[in-house]
Amino acid sequence: MSIIINLPEIKSLVVDLDVVSAMEQGFIQYSNGNSVVPPVGELLFENPPGDVHIKYGYIKNDDYYVVKIASGFYDNPKLGIASGQGLMLLFNQKTGQLECVLLDEGHLTDIRTAAAGSVAVKHFAPKQISAIGILGTGVQAKLQLLQLQENNPCKTVWLWGRNPKNAVKFKTELGNDFDVHIATTPSEVARNANVIFTTTPSEEPLLKAEDIKAGTLIVAVGSDTKDKQELESAILSKADLLIADSIPQSKSRGEIYQAVSVGAIRSEQVVELGKAIQDVKLQRTDGEQIIVVDLTGVAVQDIMIAASVYSNYKK
């Protein structure tokens, strides 16, 4: 009989997990060809604006395969509803039987995305993080900041949001644990931070090449469809190292897709995250390098976190 795990219990189970290590292992399995991850299924909506991603796959010779449905409907906060929604389905890889339904309401997608950001910082950040820059004021913006504190603590934050009221609310919710500066423009964030997370659903570039100083790491999270773009493509041509969580996905979505489409970079310049994790020569080699890590979200992340939650539940 299938198990159903609801959001409150999922949150309690996730607390005990090392999600950053799980994401690292997932990316390694993916880049080493030890997983099966078909192209993303996608539904795009205009009124109200939203997108639904269906991601699925399995790690070879593992116990499960996973199907994940996650959505982002960006007017939801006006209704008092979180913009992210969804669930994960865990099936027995040997029999096809449904073993577990994770009614996570998009929470596990948020957690695994934030953990991937921490993986990027672990391997590509400058040695001294002067300040963390964040574009966006939503759930993912906050999770990226909080997840980072476990291994790369930095309390100085430069924040920009399209809605200044949301930026003030974000700062208030963080309390006195962080020194948060609210920027009036994205370029002000870039001038003051050398690790920047972009977490918005923008379809127009927010950061320009002239904004980015030497030594900066940009972790691009928001651009996960063919229409979204937070970085001017010239930033990627200026970068010393370009990392994609999935090279196949970068051919149809994300910042790398945008930059290749306009001829700013060549796809051959891109290194896959799982390969770079295993080879220090593909990571940061000096403090002046500009590095862009493009995270479009890969099903192997969902496989890893769903299986980890279920294993913890069965203990």
Side-chain angles (χ1 to χ4, degrees):
M1 186 174 181
S2 304
I3 300 297
I4 298 175
I5 309 178
N6 291 297
L7 180 58
E9 188 167 10
I10 288 171
K11 287 183 174 180
S12 68
L13 292 168
V14 167
V15 170
D16 298 329
L17 302 178
D18 183 352
V19 290
V20 174
S21 294
M23 292 307 105
E24 280 189 319
Q25 289 305 310
F27 288 129
I28 289 170
Q29 295 286 347
Y30 178 77
S31 290
N32 288 356
N34 295 328
S35 66
V36 174
V37 175
V40 178
E42 186 173 71
L43 298 171
L44 303 178
F45 298 87
E46 295 181 359
N47 188 23
D51 49 74
V52 177
H53 291 159
I54 304 163
K55 298 182 178 182
Y56 53 105
Y58 63 91
I59 294 172
K60 296 176 182 178
N61 301 313
D62 203 356
D63 294 327
Y64 310 108
Y65 71 88
V66 172
V67 178
K68 190 274 293 284
I69 303 172
S71 65
F73 282 84
Y74 304 106
D75 286 346
N76 277 7
K78 299 175 184 177
L79 306 174
I81 304 169
S83 59
Q85 299 293 326
L87 57 77
M88 296 187 182
L89 304 173
L90 199 74
F91 295 86
N92 187 300
Q93 194 179 126
K94 306 301 188 294
T95 67
Q97 291 174 295
L98 177 62
E99 294 213 6
C100 181
V101 180
L102 295 164
L103 297 176
D104 70 308
E105 300 177 27
H107 181 68
L108 292 178
T109 295
D110 289 335
I111 294 295
R112 60 79 151 156
T113 303
S118 288
V119 171
V121 172
K122 176 180 178 180
H123 295 287
F124 305 104
K127 286 186 178 179
Q128 296 295 325
I129 301 176
S130 59
I132 298 167
I134 301 175
L135 303 189
T137 58
V139 170
Q140 191 54 225
K142 184 179 293 183
L143 286 177
Q144 290 287 352
L145 177 60
L146 296 178
Q147 180 67 60
L148 192 64
Q149 302 308 307
E150 292 187 17
N151 298 304
N152 296 89
C154 178
K155 303 300 183 182
T156 303
V157 180
W158 281 83
L159 172 70
W160 175 85
R162 289 168 295 177
N163 186 327
K165 291 182 180 179
N166 289 341
V168 172
K169 180 182 178 183
F170 187 102
K171 178 178 180 178
T172 301
E173 289 176 350
L174 288 175
N176 297 324
D177 292 336
F178 294 87
D179 179 19
V180 180
H181 305 266
I182 298 178
T184 57
T185 63
S187 63
E188 188 179 2
V189 172
R191 288 196 301 269
N192 289 282
N194 61 353
V195 171
I196 301 172
F197 293 96
T198 64
T199 68
T200 79
S202 179
E203 295 185 1
E204 295 182 358
L206 301 172
L207 288 173
K208 298 185 181 301
E210 63 194 39
D211 299 331
I212 310 304
K213 60 186 180 181
T216 298
L217 167 65
I218 302 174
V219 183
V221 178
S223 180
D224 58 358
T225 72
K226 66 180 181 64
D227 297 319
K228 295 177 185 176
Q229 183 178 12
E230 299 178 289
L231 308 180
E232 182 183 50
S233 293
I235 292 176
L236 280 75
S237 60
K238 182 179 180 179
D240 299 284
L241 186 57
L242 299 172
I243 305 293
D245 54 3
S246 165
I247 286 179
Q249 282 185 196
S250 73
K251 295 177 180 179
S252 64
R253 63 192 63 240
E255 303 296 343
I256 290 169
Y257 162 74
Q258 296 287 353
V260 170
S261 296
V262 299
I265 62 169
R266 294 174 291 105
S267 58
E268 293 79 11
Q269 296 174 246
V270 181
V271 176
E272 200 162 71
L273 180 55
K275 292 294 186 185
I277 288 171
Q278 300 172 82
D279 187 349
V280 294
K281 296 189 296 294
L282 298 175
Q283 299 171 22
R284 179 177 289 278
T285 56
D286 71 64
E288 295 296 299
Q289 288 176 305
I290 294 173
I291 301 176
V292 176
V293 179
D294 191 11
L295 301 177
T296 57
V298 190
V300 73
Q301 297 171 254
D302 305 308
I303 297 165
M304 294 301 295
I305 198 164
S308 296
V309 169
Y310 185 47
S311 295
N312 200 16
Y313 172 84
K314 292 193 298 180
K315 286 182 179 177

